[in-house]
Amino acid sequence: NVADRKVLGLHVRMFRNSQEVIEERIAIVKKLYEYYKDKKYAEDYAMFLEYLDNTVFISFYPNPLIYTRQILPNQNMQFLNFEWREEMFELCKNYRLGLDSRWDLLTKELIDRYHELGLKVNAWTVNDKKIANKLISWGIDYITTNILE
């Protein structure tokens, strides 16, 4: 799958699930950081920071998130998962990554563990209102859905 996008004026070609694109995305983040950290671009830098404030970086792969954490220490990031393993919690804890999980893997206890560290939790893909309400009662931070009601 190929998608063309413009990110802050840069033309970006994204391929899903390929190492090449992961490296490309890391390079883009690094280029953006290097460009905007120069204070002569203060107005652009402020816009860039505002854009980042409203952006959540997500990945099934930890390395791009770890690298991005070094460049953008306060960036909102979430580790995507489709199966639960305890070492994921340690990874998220060590690098301050929120969790972006399949909804059926979540429990109130797991959400609470992340919240105790000040980390956010997203559930995907929830298209059933009863499930959504249960997750909300557990304190979920975000819900990804295909239903816009």
Side-chain angles (χ1 to χ4, degrees), residues 13 21 32 35 38 43 56 61 64-65 74 77-78 82 86-87 90 100-101 104-105 124 130-131 141:
R13 175 158 274 185
V21 165
L32 288 171
Y35 175 81
D38 186 337
E43 187 177 314
V56 179
Y61 306 98
L65 296 173
N74 299 315
M77 291 189 269
Q78 295 178 345
F82 53 87
E86 185 61 31
E87 60 266 19
E90 289 303 313
D100 196 339
S101 178
D104 58 332
L105 299 175
W124 56 268
K130 288 180 184 177
I131 293 169
D141 299 290

Side-chain angles (χ1 to χ4, degrees), residues 8 16 31 34 58 67 76 82-83 92 129 134 145 147:
L8 293 174
R16 293 191 181 170
K31 284 179 186 175
E34 291 299 321
I58 61 172
Y67 184 83
N76 189 357
F82 53 87
E83 63 177 341
C92 291
K129 193 170 184 174
K134 178 174 76 169
T145 185
I147 301 170

Side-chain angles (χ1 to χ4, degrees), residues 79 81 83-94 99 107 109-110 113-114 117:
F79 185 57
N81 77 312
E83 63 177 341
W84 174 251
R85 295 187 315 271
E86 185 61 31
E87 60 266 19
M88 291 176 185
F89 181 77
E90 289 303 313
L91 173 81
C92 291
K93 177 181 172 183
N94 292 336
L99 180 65
T107 64
E109 293 74 26
L110 185 60
R113 286 177 71 192
Y114 276 82
L117 298 173

Side-chain angles (χ1 to χ4, degrees), residues 33-44:
Y33 174 77
E34 291 299 321
Y35 175 81
Y36 286 115
K37 78 175 185 175
D38 186 337
K39 295 305 178 198
K40 72 180 180 180
Y41 299 107
E43 187 177 314
D44 288 342

Side-chain angles (χ1 to χ4, degrees), residues 126 128-140 143:
V126 181
D128 181 296
K129 193 170 184 174
K130 288 180 184 177
I131 293 169
N133 285 331
K134 178 174 76 169
L135 291 165
I136 291 167
S137 76
W138 289 353
I140 196 76
I143 295 176

Side-chain angles (χ1 to χ4, degrees), residues 13-29:
R13 175 158 274 185
M14 298 202 225
F15 302 80
R16 293 191 181 170
N17 299 325
S18 82
Q19 186 62 33
E20 179 182 288
V21 165
I22 292 169
E23 291 169 5
E24 184 178 272
R25 289 178 184 172
I26 291 170
I28 288 168
V29 169

